[in-house]
Amino acid sequence: MKAKLFLLASLFITFAASSQLQKNVGVNQKNFHNVNAEPISIGAANDIISASNLFDASMGGEELILKRIDATGAIVWMETYANTAIGRARVYDITTHLDLIYVAGSIEDAGINRSFIAVVDGINGNLLNAEIFDVVSPSFHSIPLKIIYTESDATGNATPDPGLAVVGFFSSCPPIDVSCTLNAGFVLRTDLSLNILWSLELESIVTSSLDNDFINGITETSDGYLLTGSVTGETAAPGVFQQGVLAHKIDFLGVNQWDSSYLFGNSNDVSVDAYYDNGTNEIYMLTNYSASHHFGITALDNASGAILPTKSWSASSAFLDYYGFKLMRSGSSANNLVIQGYNRDNTVTGTMDQTNPFVYEFDMATGNQVGDSYQYLLPHTEPVGDAFNFWNGQMPLIYYPDMGFLYTDNAGNASYAFGGYRTDATGFTNIEVFATPLSKLNPCDQENLTFTVNVLPALTSITTVSSGNTPVTSAPLVLNNTAVTYTEDSCDPAMSVGSNDFNEIKIYPNPASERIYISGQAIQSVQVVDVRGGIVLEKTSYNPAGGLYVGDLRSGIYFVNVQGENDITQTFKIVKR
């Protein structure tokens, strides 16, 4: 699947120009997990910040790691952050504002997981500030799952308060345990200096052996925040409880506005993200359902919380276990939204692969698929052993990292950025950061998908959800950052796996002595590049009958860039005898 970067220096120009960035990064004998990706502006440059955790072979010894990647895929810096005197630190989410990175994480202190927020300089990766936050008391575990930048009035004085809003959960048990005697969601609002402005807790007041009260997302609207995640709900059968969809609205001061939480199916329902449409004053909430093994959308009226049935749906397809992680506006049309997610199981080249990224674009009014949907076939087997593994069950219980975003490069070209995973030759998980054009086609690893939208069945409202003030205290935290030694590779389309639905280009013979022939598509141009990145042969047209004469080239390895249909460039490695 790979060719080393020094062999592909010339190809970065091709990939970047067509929004085909694809970079694979590994650390020796380490597993990457929990990848988040966000854009950042550093001067005139539009770069990418990727946040994740590093684990050893047994998925222990976690380390918080951040890296900045420029528009060509080059790593500007990569750092780990730790305080070994206290315990192990890890990241769950990041957000960016200007050239700063705000990190929401936890550190294990004497067996207790304590939440923290850290501020990192995006220019060089240096730590600028960090605070530990204890929800209720230092004896409770707390985990922050999402952080956003906000400028709302958080004090009621009609003046904007630029700062952060963080959501997560606190617990009397080590995370995550739904049979714990206490799990409750929390919201924390701070200023940019990390001073606490207000805080609250949220839970479903029921008596049950299950406690699924977790907040995993926060979306700002015109007059407040929608909280997503899950709560414990009672089914139509009295005394039977299950995980339900959280849909809870608070205002900018943390006061409850409405709750539209509900049960959908047979076991686990969860909301994971949302998009607010200012023009219609509607919220589109991304949900996942164990009953359908797929994602869905619940549309809500922002003012009242009423569910809009004609715009709400669940998806299905010929296969199972497609779960949404991120919801964003489309780069192609104001009428569409885009879902990024992961597929639990897919068989590639005879091995069982997990956590394959996929993308689905839909019409907001109907939910119907717009254009092609793709799954990106990154060969990967999920390492097990971490409490926040995606696939300990059928789908992630509560943790859904921001795996991507709508990305605009330095030239103003829009694309969809993704964070994914690839198992390397030694069996460890590398992180894969890549971008596709707005058509969503990735020439390296792709499979065409088709989804069907289904009307939501009758929903069971959960009427026991409440929120109110809760105490939070803070203390300074020191985190030391250290540069990381890493390896990096780039996508080699000639050695990739594709769908049968894709009109595949083929080059033959290989090795070649005098001529090579190209088939499979109408060819617009051909370029041959040597291992030093120099262009040794270039044609703006191609004659299928005559092929391409390479008899004058020296013996060795070359890369052939073929521009085919839809202006997509694919690259092939050949041997010249």
Side-chain angles (χ1 to χ4, degrees):
M1 278 288 190
K2 306 284 199 307
K4 292 298 182 183
L5 277 182
F6 69 85
L7 295 178
L8 288 178
S10 65
L11 302 187
F12 277 128
I13 300 173
T14 302
F15 287 154
S18 57
S19 298
Q20 296 298 326
L21 161 71
Q22 187 150 347
K23 171 62 66 70
N24 178 268
V25 180
V27 174
N28 186 41
Q29 301 294 295
K30 296 285 187 179
N31 289 304
F32 277 95
H33 209 244
N34 317 135
V35 58
N36 289 265
E38 292 287 341
I40 191 169
S41 297
I42 307 290
N46 295 320
D47 290 353
I48 296 171
I49 299 296
S50 175
S52 50
N53 297 298
L54 281 176
F55 294 86
D56 60 24
S58 64
M59 292 302 287
E62 62 266 33
E63 300 175 87
L64 188 167
I65 185 166
L66 302 178
K67 50 188 167 292
R68 174 183 159 198
I69 304 168
D70 70 18
T72 70
I75 294 177
V76 181
W77 54 259
M78 183 186 295
E79 302 277 333
T80 57
Y81 301 80
N83 185 322
T84 54
I86 296 178
R88 296 190 300 273
R90 63 182 297 168
V91 59
Y92 299 94
D93 191 38
I94 60 170
T95 191
T96 61
H97 179 62
L98 301 177
D99 58 359
L100 297 178
I101 307 163
Y102 298 94
V103 179
S106 69
I107 190 164
E108 187 175 332
D109 182 3
I112 300 294
N113 292 277
R114 304 172 70 190
S115 296
F116 70 81
I117 303 174
V119 186
V120 174
D121 189 333
I123 297 174
N124 51 32
N126 290 336
L127 183 78
L128 301 177
N129 188 17
E131 289 278 327
I132 283 181
F133 296 90
D134 292 313
V135 183
V136 181
S137 81
S139 62
F140 283 103
H141 300 271
S142 66
I143 300 292
L145 295 178
K146 197 73 66 178
I147 183 170
I148 64 170
Y149 172 82
T150 178
E151 295 184 350
S152 64
D153 173 18
T155 57
N157 63 357
T159 302
D161 295 301
L164 306 167
V166 179
V167 299
F169 68 95
F170 66 97
S171 174
S172 58
C173 305
I176 301 173
D177 183 358
V178 297
S179 63
C180 185
T181 57
L182 172 63
N183 292 321
F186 75 84
V187 185
L188 172 64
R189 179 69 162 89
T190 77
D191 62 20
L192 291 179
S193 297
L194 307 186
N195 298 307
I196 299 170
L197 299 180
W198 54 260
S199 56
L200 63 84
E201 65 178 87
L202 178 146
E203 60 183 326
S204 175
I205 309 300
V206 295
T207 301
S208 169
S209 59
L210 298 177
D211 197 345
N212 285 286
D213 299 341
F214 308 104
I215 304 175
N216 66 16
I218 178 168
T219 300
E220 186 168 348
T221 76
S222 59
D223 57 355
Y225 305 106
L226 177 76
L227 306 179
T228 56
S230 70
V231 287
T232 307
E234 188 171 11
T235 68
V240 178
F241 297 88
Q242 67 182 58
Q243 181 183 24
V245 170
L246 174 65
H248 191 84
K249 171 82 176 297
I250 59 176
D251 67 15
F252 291 134
L253 302 180
V255 178
N256 176 36
Q257 297 298 293
W258 49 255
D259 190 275
S260 297
S261 303
Y262 66 84
L263 298 178
F264 170 89
N266 59 10
S267 180
N268 300 104
D269 308 324
V270 60
S271 52
V272 301
D273 197 11
Y275 175 84
Y276 172 63
D277 185 354
N278 187 66
T280 61
N281 199 32
E282 294 171 350
I283 300 169
Y284 291 78
M285 185 172 67
L286 178 61
T287 54
N288 290 321
Y289 306 122
S290 66
S292 64
H293 295 258
H294 279 78
F295 57 89
I297 289 290
T298 305
L300 302 153
D301 182 284
N302 179 54
S304 66
I307 294 177
L308 309 175
T310 61
K311 298 182 178 181
S312 301
W313 48 270
S314 66
S316 61
S317 69
F319 304 98
L320 297 179
D321 297 331
Y322 285 91
Y323 299 111
F325 278 61
K326 179 69 175 179
L327 180 65
M328 70 191 78
R329 67 179 180 88
S330 166
S332 301
S333 171
N335 299 321
N336 302 340
L337 295 178
V338 169
I339 294 170
Q340 293 177 328
Y342 292 116
N343 174 231
R344 185 182 189 274
D345 299 306
N346 189 71
T347 301
V348 179
T349 61
T351 62
M352 183 60 71
D353 299 320
Q354 300 178 338
T355 324
N356 276 187
F358 73 89
V359 61
Y360 175 75
E361 183 172 357
F362 67 93
D363 184 309
M364 295 166 67
T366 65
N368 291 334
Q369 181 170 315
V370 175
D372 289 323
S373 293
Y374 291 102
Q375 178 166 316
Y376 307 112
L377 305 175
L378 308 180
H380 175 249
T381 300
E382 181 86 3
V384 298
D386 176 50
F388 290 90
N389 275 2
F390 291 154
W391 315 121
N392 280 345
Q394 173 186 313
M395 66 183 190
L397 175 72
I398 195 63
Y399 182 45
Y400 291 83
D402 285 335
M403 60 179 288
F405 54 90
L406 180 61
Y407 175 59
T408 302
D409 65 18
N410 300 336
N413 300 310
S415 60
Y416 297 117
F418 295 81
Y421 307 92
R422 186 188 291 269
T423 301
D424 66 18
T426 64
F428 286 86
T429 298
N430 294 352
I431 189 171
E432 190 105 355
V433 178
F434 63 99
T436 72
L438 298 183
S439 67
K440 304 177 287 292
L441 177 62
N442 174 3
C444 290
D445 311 270
Q446 51 71 39
E447 180 179 29
N448 194 276
L449 302 173
T450 299
F451 292 99
T452 302
V453 297
N454 309 286
V455 176
L456 289 186
L459 303 174
T460 302
S461 297
I462 301 175
T463 60
T464 54
V465 183
S466 64
S467 60
N469 295 336
T470 196
V472 176
T473 57
S474 65
L477 171 66
V478 175
L479 292 173
N480 300 308
N481 52 296
T482 305
V484 180
T485 300
Y486 57 88
T487 60
E488 50 185 345
D489 288 317
S490 181
C491 162
D492 182 353
M495 303 173 68
S496 66
V497 179
S499 165
N500 291 332
D501 294 334
F502 183 71
N503 193 12
E504 186 179 2
I505 292 176
K506 296 180 180 179
I507 288 185
Y508 59 94
N510 190 9
S513 299
E514 292 191 354
R515 294 184 182 273
I516 58 174
Y517 297 87
I518 307 171
S519 66
Q521 290 187 16
I523 307 304
Q524 300 183 39
S525 66
V526 182
Q527 182 186 79
V528 181
V529 181
D530 65 21
V531 294
R532 296 179 178 87
I535 299 173
V536 297
L537 185 61
E538 192 167 22
K539 298 289 184 180
T540 56
S541 63
Y542 173 73
N543 178 6
L548 186 70
Y549 184 71
V550 294
D552 293 336
L553 301 182
R554 295 181 178 179
S555 298
I557 296 174
Y558 293 85
F559 295 91
V560 183
N561 301 331
V562 181
Q563 186 178 30
E565 297 169 359
N566 300 319
D567 293 326
I568 297 296
T569 297
Q570 299 185 60
T571 303
F572 302 83
K573 181 169 63 178
I574 67 167
V575 176
K576 167 62 172 62
R577 286 177 172 168

